[in-house]
Amino acid sequence: MDVKKVPDIITARLPVYLRALQRMADAGLKTTSSQELGEKVGISAAQIRKDVSQFGEFGKQGTGYSIDYLMDRLREILKVNRIWDVIVVGAGDMGHALANYQGLINRGFNIVAIFDNNQEKIGQTIGDYVIEDSDNLIEYVKESGIKIAILTLPASAAQIVADELIEAGVRALLNYAPVSIATPPNVKIQYIDPAIHLQRMTYYL
Amino acid sequence: MDVKKVPDIITARLPVYLRALQRMADAGLKTTSSQELGEKVGISAAQIRKDVSQFGEFGKQGTGYSIDYLMDRLREILKVNRIWDVIVVGAGDMGHALANYQGLINRGFNIVAIFDNNQEKIGQTIGDYVIEDSDNLIEYVKESGIKIAILTLPASAAQIVADELIEAGVRALLNYAPVSIATPPNVKIQYIDPAIHLQRMTYYL
DNA sequence: TAGATTGTTAATCGATTAACAATC
DNA sequence: TAGATTGTTAATCGATTAACAATC
């Protein structure tokens, strides 16, 4: 528990800082400043200092931040200094793309199973995964204690499946279905919908 | 041009309202209220009224909003009362998923071409698309006047390709590459990175 | 040391909420 | 009409920025 509650808007930026720091580390850099990091992510230096200072004093006057140390602290804060098991519900094109995506494991997430309710898909393989029957979804979640699910299913099914998953213990949903989903306060949800993101830009064109 | 500048944070919510209204329309509903719409999207009724009132008086006291009429107004405001041609750069799994995705066309977007720089992929088909050579990307953008591009390529290539696209006239980027991209003020960018979205939830687990 | 950069404060700026007159 | 709901105002709440002492 944190002593004081940190606003959502701040914690939402930390993964972006972490991603930029990872790139700097990959490039062999050892230290950075709020100024430099800010330029990379398009956020003011003052805001970066304010954000990270919510969690501790991670920098040094005069020299800035050790990249490795700040990454460790951010991973700790975000609880991605471990690997979370994740399931994917829906084996359409997006489910396939996620199952094949190699970019999750080194950022704290491991897809452990993918489900579909289409009898023709069940049993087929995606890389090392065998598509499992949605009928076994809830039992699987309960037995494995899965806390994170990615929804890549039709909008019409999203709320129903989300409700079942939450009932079974899931506490974080990444929803690719093009529909808003209602969740209780103790369950987090994030949305990915390319049409929404595109429509956020056309206003300015 | 709007008389007064409307904040980004408000225009960013409009696509979510539009998506919810479309679902209500599909369900055969004719009118809704700020209260009802707010419950669907998880936003307060007061905020919905404030948001839409930035652009005009679209509701009626006592009865609420005509769903069809409000959708028309939102589409007009967001400039999605037309179809925008969009290109996809990168024919990996995500590029494939987007090319096959049927959910964009009825929300204002038409993918017209997909590019890759891998000689083995060039010429292969994805549905009705033939993967085109990235060497022809800039010429294509200039000749067609494309304003919107979706990037589904490696992080290492994202900034370079983005710079070239912007130089060629692109004004809106939807970036799936896991990296921040710098753009000039007249170019909009939106980010989709599942790891970022997942890391925004683990903090609370 | 001199220069650089943090962490933090106070001021500014912006967003959300509550309330209600207007009116369908 | 009576009930419902908008559009808008003012108050509250929250986020960002600028500035700088502290200090590496």
Side-chain angles (χ1 to χ4, degrees), chain A residues 2 8 11-12 19 23 40 77-79 93 100 107 178 180 190 193 197 199-200 202-205, chain B residues 2 8 11-12 19 40 77-79 93 100 107 178-180 190 193 197 199-200 202-205:
Chain A
D2 298 306
D8 287 2
T11 54
R19 185 175 65 178
R23 278 188 70 78
K40 301 272 190 202
I77 293 161
L78 293 170
K79 302 202 183 86
D93 286 312
N100 287 327
R107 295 170 74 189
S180 295
Q190 291 272 310
D193 179 343
H197 286 90
Q199 289 180 346
R200 283 177 177 158
T202 45
Y203 174 78
Y204 301 94
L205 292 179
Chain B
D2 298 305
D8 288 1
T11 55
R19 184 175 66 178
K40 300 273 190 202
I77 293 161
L78 294 171
K79 302 201 183 85
D93 286 312
N100 287 327
R107 295 171 75 188
V179 61
S180 295
Q190 291 273 311
D193 179 343
H197 286 88
Q199 289 180 347
R200 283 178 178 156
T202 45
Y203 174 78
Y204 301 95
L205 292 179

Side-chain angles (χ1 to χ4, degrees), chain A residues 6-18:
Chain A
V6 176
D8 287 2
I9 199 163
I10 290 183
T11 54
R13 284 191 290 259
L14 302 186
V16 179
Y17 302 163
L18 179 57

Side-chain angles (χ1 to χ4, degrees), chain A residues 11 35 113 119 130 176:
Chain A
T11 54
Q35 176 70 27
Q119 292 298 327
V130 176
Y176 281 79

Side-chain angles (χ1 to χ4, degrees), chain A residues 129-168:
Chain A
Y129 302 99
V130 176
I131 299 173
E132 302 190 34
D133 190 333
S134 292
D135 285 353
N136 305 323
L137 173 61
I138 298 309
E139 187 186 347
Y140 184 98
V141 170
K142 285 182 179 168
E143 291 191 355
S144 60
I146 290 278
K147 292 284 171 268
I148 306 175
I150 303 179
L151 303 183
T152 58
L153 35 68
S156 55
Q159 182 71 61
I160 296 165
V161 172
D163 289 344
E164 292 173 354
L165 289 169
I166 292 165
E167 167 69 21

Side-chain angles (χ1 to χ4, degrees), chain B residues 58 68-78:
Chain B
F58 302 150
D68 282 347
Y69 182 76
L70 185 53
M71 286 178 67
D72 282 346
R73 296 293 73 70
L74 292 177
R75 287 206 188 96
E76 201 170 79
I77 293 161
L78 294 171

